[in-house]
Amino acid sequence: MARLPILEFPDPRLRTKAQPVAVVDDRIRRLIDDLFETMYAAPGIGLAATQVNVHERVIVIDVSPEHDAPHAFINPTITRLDGLIETDEGCLSVPGFYEPVRRADEIRVEALDRDGKPFVLDAEGLLAVCIQHECDHLEGKLFVDYLTPLKRGRIRQKLTKQQRIRA
Ligand code: QAP
Ligand code: CO
């Protein structure tokens, strides 16, 4: 297991569209383990492979306070969206910023599990929001894209300055 470095907004690599996983093999299972380790260490509730500069369709999520409800999704597809919920969202790739975003409150997601077996999950509330947020990453989309250009620009400027200080 390894902790992987996380790309930060406005890194253009976060805009990459991820490729479907063709074969669920040990390499993909190792990626999933590393994503979980990186997410739990952060700590975070969701992480997409895109955020660690791996452009394959894999996401991990655990919204439980006890870190005992891990979900891994390979090639996830959202097949139903219902209702509306507004959540203060953050992102490990946009550290220090939380803003309200409106999304569907109830979803159905179809994906492969770590054994390559298809499954269907109906989710609501924070889990549903987190699945939508992580699936967006696989399309190169970030939660800041839902904010006004003014808010997004301010966040970009603050993070760019911080990144210059750290470099
Ligand atoms: C996505 O985000 C999410 O700014 C997962 O300084 C978040 O795990 C979906 C984090 C909220 C719905 C609601 C963010 C950690 C973690 C930060 C995360 C930070 C440290 C974000
Ligand atoms: Co994110």
Side-chain angles (χ1 to χ4, degrees):
M1 297 256 283
R3 275 193 219 178
L4 307 171
I6 297 173
L7 302 177
E8 290 186 8
F9 178 70
D11 193 311
R13 292 172 291 183
L14 287 167
R15 299 309 187 175
T16 312
K17 183 175 158 71
Q19 295 301 309
V21 171
V23 186
V24 180
D25 54 11
D26 284 344
R27 183 181 66 86
I28 295 298
R29 282 184 279 275
R30 191 147 47 231
L31 171 62
I32 288 170
D33 290 342
D34 290 347
L35 287 170
F36 274 121
E37 184 176 347
T38 305
M39 178 187 80
Y40 285 132
I45 59 172
L47 189 64
T50 308
Q51 294 175 273
V52 299
N53 202 30
V54 174
H55 301 289
E56 302 187 67
R57 304 186 79 82
V58 177
I59 66 176
V60 301
I61 294 176
D62 187 344
V63 298
S64 74
E66 303 84 9
H67 291 182
D68 61 358
H71 293 278
F73 303 84
I74 302 163
N75 298 342
T77 316
I78 294 170
T79 57
R80 278 183 36 192
L81 295 157
D82 262 301
L84 198 62
I85 186 175
E86 187 173 77
T87 313
D88 269 335
E89 290 194 22
C91 180
L92 286 169
S93 295
V94 191
F97 295 89
Y98 284 83
E99 292 290 342
V101 176
R102 277 197 292 268
R103 300 190 189 262
D105 181 34
E106 291 182 61
I107 66 161
R108 172 168 291 168
V109 59
E110 307 191 13
L112 303 178
D113 68 16
R114 58 183 292 132
D115 301 314
K117 189 168 162 272
F119 69 98
V120 181
L121 177 71
D122 290 322
E124 61 173 33
L126 183 58
L127 179 59
V129 168
C130 203
I131 292 168
Q132 292 168 80
H133 174 117
E134 302 310 331
C135 285
D136 272 356
H137 277 298
L138 303 180
E139 297 300 314
K141 195 168 172 87
L142 298 168
F143 87 91
V144 296
D145 299 343
Y146 297 104
L147 309 180
T148 64
L150 180 64
K151 274 193 180 171
R152 186 166 52 254
R154 284 178 177 154
I155 293 172
R156 169 193 287 265
Q157 188 162 41
K158 286 181 188 162
L159 281 177
T160 302
K161 276 182 188 159
Q162 275 184 25
Q163 289 157 15
R164 266 204 297 273
I165 293 163
R166 270 187 285 130

